[in-house]
Amino acid sequence: MQPLLQNLAEMTTHRDHLRLEVSVLSTIFSLGRMLQVRSLELFSLAGALRVRPRCWSEDGRIVCSPHEAADDPGALELEQMPELDQCIRERGASAERSMNGEHVLWLPVWLGDHVATCLEVTRSRRITQHQREVITGVFLVYQNYQSLLDYSERDALTGLLNRKTFDEQFARYSELPGGDKESGQWLAVIDIDHFKLVNDRFGHLYGDEVLILLANRLRAQFRSQDRIFRFGGEEFVVLLRSISLEHARAALERLRAAIEAHEFPQIGHITISIGFAAATLDTPVEIIGRADQALYHAKEHGRNQVRFYDDLVASGELQSKVAHSDIELF
């Protein structure tokens, strides 16, 4: 019991979802030599719900996939795991399968009405009642702590990732190769044009509704591997992953056009301006500074447009430098 309590105490020291996930897998793995554990990530791709192993036990330790979800060769459609598929469709707490001497227990991690992660425990013998109770107890601690982490990372109004989460998320994804024209990373800063007039004329309740509807449009527009943040006020940031420059430009332009065409209740039509830049291995300050420069250029030259930093530098409309002292992010 003492090692289990120590593992639980260590598990709740983490402030990062992936490290917490590795810790809970290690805790469950330590419960028995015949146990194998995996964490499964659920994500949408081309309209289909897919699942892939994100971390798993191997040779006595926990290892994690080096791949992004959409590019993982180990991913498959959820319907190929019928017991888990049915469990999630029915909003169940667990699913099991016994076949060919292998016994599997799945425990989906429900955050509200959404599942993005599932724990899988496999044993060559049937999982005993005592083991199941202990595993379920550890899982419930994990799920509750995941909910607390998720709440602390999100903006209360829109449910998007918040500004304080940006540094950690950006550092993790910018470590992968990016910024090339074939399959890079791109950071976009999005700002609602004349948003102060909306608040002044219609009041903050209608202003908040605009922010919520824009957040919903951002979720619908971008993919599961992209990351969307609300930086506060009317400013949003999107980190687009593993996508060509032209596809990134087209996605941002579709967003701009969709917002321009949408009629907001009571308010009518609004527009947004967008500046974006390559998310290379430079510091977050430098990259977001370039995107900000492109955004300000769009604001100063008519608004309601998408501008790319490198294009503006190539045309001589912007100087190719960002001074650290000129930008105050944190």
Side-chain angles (χ1 to χ4, degrees), residues 190-211:
I190 300 163
D191 192 88
I192 301 174
D193 296 326
H194 301 299
F195 186 66
K196 185 177 183 300
L197 295 179
V198 172
N199 281 330
D200 290 346
R201 183 177 177 185
F202 300 99
H204 287 279
L205 285 178
Y206 282 102
D208 286 351
E209 185 174 9
V210 168
L211 295 172

Side-chain angles (χ1 to χ4, degrees), residues 18 38 85 91 111 130 174-175 182 200 222 274 309 316:
L18 187 60
R38 297 197 301 177
D85 185 24
R91 299 179 54 81
L111 298 177
H130 175 69
S174 64
E175 287 173 0
E182 294 302 318
D200 290 346
F222 297 104
I274 303 173
Y309 175 81

Side-chain angles (χ1 to χ4, degrees), residues 79-92:
E79 62 184 21
Q80 294 179 251
M81 302 175 69
E83 296 88 355
L84 179 57
D85 185 24
Q86 181 179 354
C87 173
I88 290 172
R89 283 191 284 105
E90 295 178 354
R91 299 179 54 81

Side-chain angles (χ1 to χ4, degrees), residues 54-233:
R54 184 161 55 197
C55 300
W56 58 89
S57 53
E58 183 178 287
D59 298 328
R61 60 194 182 98
I62 304 299
V63 298
C64 295
S65 172
H67 302 285
E68 285 290 291
D71 303 321
D72 196 327
L76 48 85
E77 292 193 6
L78 181 59
E79 62 184 21
Q80 294 179 251
M81 302 175 69
E83 296 88 355
L84 179 57
D85 185 24
Q86 181 179 354
C87 173
I88 290 172
R89 283 191 284 105
E90 295 178 354
R91 299 179 54 81
S94 65
E96 293 186 66
R97 181 185 69 201
S98 294
M99 186 181 296
N100 301 323
E102 182 181 77
H103 304 273
V104 185
L105 170 66
W106 289 285
L107 297 166
V109 181
W110 288 97
L111 298 177
D113 60 354
H114 177 67
V115 172
T117 306
C118 178
L119 296 188
E120 178 189 89
V121 181
T122 303
R123 193 169 187 256
S124 56
R125 296 180 183 176
R126 187 174 296 277
I127 297 172
T128 67
Q129 182 63 28
H130 175 69
Q131 282 180 320
R132 184 187 176 99
E133 289 173 356
V134 174
I135 290 168
T136 301
V138 172
F139 168 78
L140 290 175
V141 172
Y142 167 63
Q143 180 171 246
N144 291 341
Y145 199 65
Q146 279 276 39
S147 297
L148 289 174
L149 278 184
D150 190 69
Y151 180 79
S152 72
E153 290 178 348
R154 295 192 179 273
D155 171 60
L157 178 66
T158 64
L160 298 178
L161 295 170
N162 59 30
R163 182 168 179 167
K164 77 181 183 64
T165 310
F166 173 79
D167 255 352
E168 183 178 305
Q169 293 274 337
F170 181 85
R172 182 185 303 163
Y173 289 99
S174 64
E175 287 173 0
L176 300 170
D180 61 87
K181 292 186 178 181
E182 294 302 318
S183 182
Q185 284 68 253
W186 315 93
L187 188 142
V189 181
I190 300 163
D191 192 88
I192 301 174
D193 296 326
H194 301 299
F195 186 66
K196 185 177 183 300
L197 295 179
V198 172
N199 281 330
D200 290 346
R201 183 177 177 185
F202 300 99
H204 287 279
L205 285 178
Y206 282 102
D208 286 351
E209 185 174 9
V210 168
L211 295 172
I212 293 169
L213 291 172
L214 178 56
N216 292 340
R217 175 64 69 170
L218 287 167
R219 289 190 192 92
Q221 177 70 42
F222 297 104
R223 307 159 303 164
S224 60
Q225 63 262 43
D226 300 323
R227 292 295 179 268
I228 310 168
F229 307 84
R230 184 188 176 203
F231 261 38

Side-chain angles (χ1 to χ4, degrees), residues 38-53:
R38 297 197 301 177
S39 61
L40 306 176
E41 179 181 5
L42 283 77
F43 62 99
S44 296
L45 186 65
L49 191 57
R50 297 177 65 81
V51 61
R52 62 111 180 199

